[in-house]
Amino acid sequence: MKTMTAAKGFDIPTTAARLRIYVSVQKRCLKTLSGWFLSVPHYEDKYKIGYHLFEHCEHVGMWRQRLVELRGGKPDASISPALAQLLNEVNDAPDADSMIAALYGIIIRSLHTTLTQHLDEADPSANAAELRLLRRILPELESQLDWFEQRPAGQVNNDWLSGVQNFLDLQNDGLLGEGSSSDQVKIPNSRPFRRPTTITFDDRIGHEKLMPYEQREQLNYDESLIEQFRIFFNEFYAAGFLATILYDALDEGGYPWEMITDFSQHFWDEVRHSEFGAIRLKELGTEPTGCNLTLFHEAENMPILHRIVYLTRGLEAYFMPRKQPRAKTYQDAGDLRSQLFADQDWSDEINHVRYGSKWSEHLLEDDYRTQDDVIEEIKQHLGKVRGVECVAIAAPF
Ligand SMILES: [Fe+2]
Ligand SMILES: [Fe+2]
């Protein structure tokens, strides 16, 4: 007589349904972090958000890749309305500290629990493909949660936070639950999220009029170095552009996932370039004190295509000729610490210009305009905002 053994492992439909939920949850983490990156006030939190956003993006890519291989995988299938509403609620947090408390303390923690259970219950052979992904993804989520637990909680809106927690509890099976209908749930103190039009900082970081390039070049080595790393710190303006591109593209929908991936990487790079500034300024015995957001404010409301072209074919192309000589100057001076950062920055920028060409070409595929036409439209826009004709795309620093 045949004996039945206890079922272990996940069949294809269950695996596909779970992976689609992981995709949706982590895609929403990416979207929420891109929008709130602009308004979380401490720059150190912004740096962490930059790293975490890119991790979520990579995880979504891994889950999607597996879904494409699965019979009936459908990586873009919609999730339950209740789960979608729960994830929207987190985006509509009343303030930054509450958003972080809900996104990390409730959503990412719950995702971590679900993935750990998946890992424990998977069959080592039949589910080997998912196990490989789980073993790579879980440690990164753990380190996100470690950061959250060590971060001072700030002023959290506890009524709203309990509302979000109750909503999740009503789903019966956490993020996997079919959930109760949205009209049974009323969460107090929600605030419909509007993508910010500025980048907010705490009062350590004011508006700074950065020294123009030619003037910096006249300074002695040490003074020039400090001014240059202030420019690195200011790359928050570029990270901010990318955050708006990611948020608006995910909000509008219909953009290829590969484009979101490239601009998530680009976003993370700009966050790191700003971090280079903060690290090096401290090493040189000073602190970052300001940002100049003029370029961001003048152009954040242009269409996505124009923001991409302005940043990558306009500004990044404008700054590019300085990159190689800078790395060489630091190398010749034996300042290998500064050279390390300048060299990485130069390499990243080459990639950014490539992303810009690739995606502006894609977005212009069914358009009668060329990239040069778009650049003309950007100059018109900047001329209107500034009240003086914009002859060429340039930066004041
Ligand atoms: Fe950069
Ligand atoms: Fe860049």
Side-chain angles (χ1 to χ4, degrees):
M1 192 179 107
K2 282 184 184 167
T3 51
M4 297 286 285
T5 50
K8 180 170 164 97
F10 296 95
D11 63 10
I12 293 290
T14 313
T15 303
R18 278 182 166 250
L19 266 52
R20 281 196 290 270
I21 289 174
Y22 307 161
V23 164
S24 303
V25 170
Q26 294 203 268
K27 225 193 230 182
R28 286 308 303 239
C29 290
L30 195 166
K31 183 182 172 190
T32 295
L33 291 176
S34 67
W36 280 92
F37 169 82
L38 299 162
S39 41
V40 164
H42 304 317
Y43 70 81
E44 296 88 344
D45 288 341
K46 290 187 193 290
Y47 293 153
K48 280 292 171 191
I49 284 176
Y51 280 77
H52 295 167
L53 182 151
F54 189 54
E55 286 173 1
H56 289 297
C57 174
E58 286 200 303
H59 300 169
V60 170
M62 289 152 87
W63 297 130
R64 283 178 57 89
Q65 178 62 34
R66 180 65 191 134
L67 276 166
V68 168
E69 298 162 2
L70 284 180
R71 190 181 72 236
K74 295 188 196 159
D76 296 311
S78 60
I79 47 167
S80 79
L83 179 56
Q85 199 201 348
L86 171 66
L87 298 169
N88 283 342
E89 268 303 332
V90 176
N91 205 45
D92 288 345
D95 55 78
D97 284 328
S98 303
M99 181 283 293
I100 289 175
L103 189 77
Y104 289 82
I106 297 178
I107 301 298
I108 296 174
R109 185 171 283 151
S110 175
L111 179 67
H112 179 266
T113 306
T114 304
L115 298 188
T116 306
Q117 181 230 8
H118 194 154
L119 183 84
D120 292 343
E121 294 175 15
D123 181 87
S125 178
N127 300 129
E130 294 81 63
L131 281 171
R132 286 177 74 229
L133 302 185
L134 288 161
R135 290 197 188 103
R136 290 181 207 170
I137 290 170
L138 273 164
E140 291 191 335
L141 294 183
E142 275 151 29
S143 94
Q144 292 190 15
L145 289 171
D146 286 347
W147 168 75
F148 165 68
E149 272 146 27
Q150 283 156 28
R151 177 187 177 273
Q155 292 272 339
V156 173
N157 188 313
N158 285 313
D159 290 343
W160 176 80
L161 193 65
S162 321
V164 175
Q165 183 65 58
N166 291 338
F167 195 170
L168 177 63
D169 294 343
L170 282 171
Q171 306 306 304
N172 301 324
D173 192 13
L175 298 172
L176 301 176
E178 277 306 306
S180 65
S181 93
S182 52
D183 32 296
Q184 284 172 256
V185 185
K186 286 274 166 287
I187 300 183
N189 305 327
S190 286
R191 206 183 57 175
F193 183 81
R194 292 240 172 93
R195 197 270 285 161
T197 55
T198 188
I199 308 176
T200 305
F201 292 97
D202 60 35
D203 52 17
R204 292 172 298 166
I205 306 299
H207 174 78
E208 198 154 85
K209 193 175 174 303
L210 296 164
M211 193 181 284
Y213 178 67
E214 295 68 27
Q215 215 175 320
R216 293 202 304 276
E217 291 294 287
Q218 303 305 314
L219 298 173
N220 69 41
Y221 185 86
D222 291 345
E223 288 169 346
S224 159
L225 194 62
I226 287 188
E227 292 307 320
Q228 179 50 47
F229 278 92
R230 290 196 192 290
I231 301 287
F232 272 113
F233 182 76
N234 192 57
E235 295 212 15
F236 266 125
Y237 90 84
F241 266 127
L242 270 314
T244 69
I245 289 165
L246 290 171
Y247 188 87
D248 294 347
L250 288 165
D251 206 46
E252 284 173 28
Y255 291 88
W257 175 253
E258 199 192 351
M259 180 181 128
I260 302 293
T261 305
D262 283 350
F263 287 122
S264 294
Q265 164 108 45
H266 189 168
F267 166 74
W268 177 51
D269 289 343
E270 300 305 351
V271 166
R272 283 172 38 252
H273 298 167
S274 172
E275 192 183 32
F276 294 173
I279 291 170
R280 199 72 188 108
L281 286 173
K282 284 173 203 278
E283 288 174 354
L284 295 166
T286 180
E287 288 287 331
T289 50
C291 267
N292 186 324
L293 300 177
T294 310
L295 295 172
F296 178 86
H297 290 149
E298 287 174 344
E300 59 76 30
N301 65 346
M302 295 194 304
I304 289 177
L305 167 68
H306 292 66
R307 271 175 271 164
I308 292 173
V309 172
Y310 181 44
L311 184 64
T312 59
R313 293 224 31 223
L315 294 169
E316 291 183 309
Y318 170 80
F319 286 121
M320 187 62 89
R322 303 175 186 177
K323 306 278 175 182
Q324 185 175 17
R326 177 177 304 135
K328 186 169 184 315
T329 303
Y330 295 159
Q331 174 129 29
D332 291 349
D335 181 356
L336 297 185
R337 184 78 179 139
S338 300
Q339 195 266 346
L340 175 71
F341 292 120
D343 194 33
Q344 290 287 339
D345 171 69
W346 172 29
S347 174
D348 290 343
E349 289 308 312
I350 296 168
N351 232 10
H352 299 167
V353 174
R354 197 159 47 214
Y355 290 154
S357 294
K358 174 175 154 191
W359 292 110
S360 45
E361 263 169 43
H362 171 85
L363 296 175
L364 283 167
E365 243 165 35
D366 299 324
D367 201 308
Y368 68 91
R369 292 169 299 176
T370 64
Q371 292 195 30
D372 288 338
D373 295 332
V374 176
I375 289 180
E376 279 313 308
E377 289 174 5
I378 294 165
K379 288 201 261 179
Q380 296 281 331
H381 170 91
L382 294 173
K384 245 184 247 162
V385 173
R386 293 170 184 168
V388 283
E389 191 191 355
C390 173
V391 183
I393 290 176
F397 45 79

